[in-house]
Amino acid sequence: MKLKEMPYVRVEYEAFKKDFEVILDQFSSAQSFNDAKDAHKKYYEITEELSTSITLASIFQSIDTTDPFYEKEQGYYDEMGPLFDELNSRYNNAFLDSKFRDNFEKEVMGSLPIKNMMIDKKAFDEKIIPELQEINALSTKYQKLLASAKIDFRGEELNLPMLGKYMQDLDRDTRVEAFTKRTEFFMNNKEELDTIYDDLVRIRTRAAQKLGYENFIELGYYIMGRNCYDKDMVKNFRDQVKKYLVPLATRLYEEKRVRLGFERLTFMDEPINFTNGNPKPIGTPEEIFENGKKMYAQLSPETKEFFEFMLDNELFDVLSKKGKAGGGYCTEIDKYKSPFVFANFNGTSGDIDVLTHECGHAFEAYLARNMEVKEHKRIGMETAEVHSMSMEFFTESWMELFFKDRKDDYLYMHLVDAILFIPYGCMVDEFQHIVYEQPELTPAQRKEVWKKLESEYKPHLDYDGDPFFGEGGTWQRQAHIYEVPFYYIDYCLAQICALQFKVLKDRDFNEAWSKYLQFTKSAGINDFTTTLKQAGLKSPFEDGCVEFVVNGLEEYLK
Ligand code: ZN
C-alpha cells in the first residue's frame, strides 16, 4: 500500500486501556499455554494498531509541520505517551510473572526477549518518575537553549545548523568568522550550559541511588537496553581504539594538512577535505533515484526487491519542501509492513547517504517485516547502525553513478570520516563514564577531564586559542551527552563492524555480502555479540578487532 493511502486513525487512550486490560487479564489468568499464546497474539495486534497510529501521525506531521490536524495528533501522543507506556510495562511484568514464561522461552522466542524484559524492569520504577520528569524538562531546556541561537552573520540571522554551512566554507576567512561567531554564542551561554548539565548529573545519580545502584552508570546501561556487554568490555574496546586507531587518525590528519597546503591544521580546517571542495552528487533527485534503483538491482536480488517495493509504495519523502521538518530518519509502519525514509535533499553528499545509510536501516526493516515473533524485531542501536553503516560500504562500487569523476574523492572522504569519527565517539563515551562515576566533580573539573581526554584521543587538535572550545567545552554541543547518556558508543561499535565488513568486502564481495545478510536477518533473535559471532565477525570487545580493521584499511589507504 502506498504511504498516502494508509488510513490514519487515532487510538484513544480510554478505549485502548479497556481493551488492553481485557487482554492483560486473559494473559494473566490463562490456564493453558495455548490460551496464553492466544492472548499474546491479541497483545501483538492491539500494540500494532497503536504503534502504526503513532508512527503515521509522526510521519505525516514531519512531512508538513504546518498541518494543524497532525500537529494535534502528534501532541496527543506526546501527552499520552507515558500512560500507554505504563500499560505496556504492566504487560511486561505480567509476562515475566507468567507460569508459561519458560514455555514461551523454549517454544516461541528464545531467551533474548525475556532478558530484554528483565532489563526494562530494572531500568524503570514508579519511584523515579519525579526524576524522569525533571530530566525531561532539563533536556528540553538544553534543546531550546541551542535552538535559540540567533547569530548575526554578514547581515543574515542564522541558527546553529545554518551557521554550520559557513563553518565548512572553502574560504578560510569565512570559516574563521563563522567559528568565531559560534564561540561567542557558547561563551554567552557558558554558565547555563554548565548548570543544566550539573543538574542532570545530580538528578540521574539520585534516581540511580533510589533504585539501589551505586551510581548512574549501571542504570544508564539498563536504560540503553544493553543486554550483552558491560562497562569493562566497552573500556576494552576504547583501549584498542587508543592503541591502534588513534595513531592512524593522527596520520590522516597530518596527510590532510599536507594535502590542503596548510602550515597548521586547526579545528577550523578539519571540515575541509580537498582544495577544490567536497564532492557533490551529480543529477536531479529523479536521476539519483533512477541510479539508486540500478545500484540495488545489481547489488543483490534481495535489495532489488526491497528498493522496488519502496518505490512502488512511495515510501520515500526526500525533497526539501516548505513546512517540512528538518533532518532525516527511517522508520517502520508495522501494520503495513513498510519501512519509510524521510530526508531533506540539499545537494551535498549527504543526499547519497540517504540512499545508502537510511536504506540500510530500511532494508533491515524490510527483511524483518514478516517476523512472527514481534519481540525479535527489537534490536539494539549498535546493531541497527551496523546495518546502515555497512550498507554505505557495500554500495561503494556504484558511487560512480552519483559522483562521476570525483568518485575516488568521495570514497576516500567517506572512509576517512568513518575512521576519524571513532576516536571522537569513544572520547564522548569515556567522558560520561568519568562524569557519572564521580558525580561530585565541578563544571570546571569536568572541562579538565575533557581536555585530558582530547590529548589522548585527538592529540593533533589545535584550537588556535579558542576561549570556549579550547578550554574543554566541546562536549557541550553534543546533545547526546545531555539527553541520552551512554548512547554514543553505539555509533563507534557499529562503525568498527562496518569497517570490518569493508575490509572483508574488498577481499571477497560475495562472501562478505552473505555474512551481512546473515547478520541482518538474525538481529533481534540473538544479541549483538552472538549475532556478530554467527556471521563470522570479530566482536569489538575482543582484543584484535580494531587491529584487524586498521591493518585491513592500511592496504586501501596506501
Ligand atoms: Zn542510522
Side-chain angles (χ1 to χ4, degrees), residues 237-256:
F237 168 65
R238 292 195 311 256
D239 287 345
Q240 294 178 62
V241 168
K242 279 187 200 171
K243 189 167 173 195
Y244 298 102
L245 209 123
V246 169
L248 172 62
T250 306
R251 209 184 75 209
L252 292 170
Y253 280 116
E254 174 57 16
E255 283 173 16
K256 182 190 277 201

Side-chain angles (χ1 to χ4, degrees), residues 357-358 361 385 388:
H357 184 100
E358 298 305 338
H361 287 304
E385 290 303 318
S388 53

Side-chain angles (χ1 to χ4, degrees), residues 305-331:
E305 188 191 304
F306 149 73
F307 202 74
E308 284 169 2
F309 176 86
M310 295 292 288
L311 291 177
D312 291 347
N313 293 293
E314 297 172 14
L315 296 166
F316 285 105
D317 194 302
V318 299
L319 302 184
S320 293
K321 280 180 289 233
K322 220 175 148 225
K324 195 171 159 175
Y329 62 78
C330 169
T331 186

Side-chain angles (χ1 to χ4, degrees), residues 108 155 160 243 381 474 493:
V108 181
L160 287 171
K243 189 167 173 195
M381 300 300 303
T474 298
L493 297 169

Side-chain angles (χ1 to χ4, degrees), residues 75-206:
Y76 178 78
Y77 285 125
D78 283 348
E79 194 193 324
M80 304 309 273
L83 296 177
F84 284 115
D85 287 349
E86 191 262 340
L87 288 176
N88 210 44
S89 119
R90 271 163 65 191
Y91 191 91
N92 200 7
N93 290 341
F95 195 98
L96 288 174
D97 293 339
S98 163
K99 58 182 169 195
F100 301 110
R101 184 176 129 175
D102 289 347
N103 301 67
F104 274 105
E105 179 172 342
K106 285 194 193 88
E107 296 167 44
V108 181
M109 55 183 68
S111 60
L112 185 65
I114 294 172
K115 195 174 183 185
N116 286 337
M117 287 182 219
M118 282 157 71
I119 289 172
D120 288 346
K121 205 176 165 177
K122 286 180 184 163
F124 176 78
D125 190 285
E126 271 176 12
K127 276 196 285 205
I128 61 166
I129 288 180
E131 278 81 10
L132 295 176
Q133 284 167 332
E134 274 183 89
I135 289 167
N136 282 343
L138 284 165
S139 295
T140 308
K141 203 170 164 190
Y142 170 78
Q143 284 164 12
K144 283 194 175 155
L145 178 63
L146 288 200
S148 74
K150 286 194 182 92
I151 294 159
D152 174 38
F153 187 81
R154 297 181 176 174
E156 255 186 297
E157 192 181 85
L158 304 179
N159 59 21
L160 287 171
M162 285 155 84
L163 186 70
K165 202 178 110 194
Y166 296 102
M167 291 168 59
Q168 297 169 35
D169 201 282
L170 256 191
D171 175 50
R172 191 163 201 279
D173 292 338
T174 305
R175 284 205 304 280
V176 172
E177 201 178 325
F179 269 85
T180 310
K181 288 283 181 182
R182 186 183 69 157
T183 297
E184 268 170 33
F185 171 80
F186 277 90
M187 283 300 276
N188 290 337
N189 293 288
K190 204 172 159 221
E191 257 142 59
E192 195 168 358
L193 285 164
D194 282 341
T195 309
I196 295 173
Y197 192 63
D198 203 49
D199 287 346
L200 280 167
V201 172
R202 210 168 25 80
I203 295 165
R204 286 186 176 125
T205 303
R206 192 170 73 215

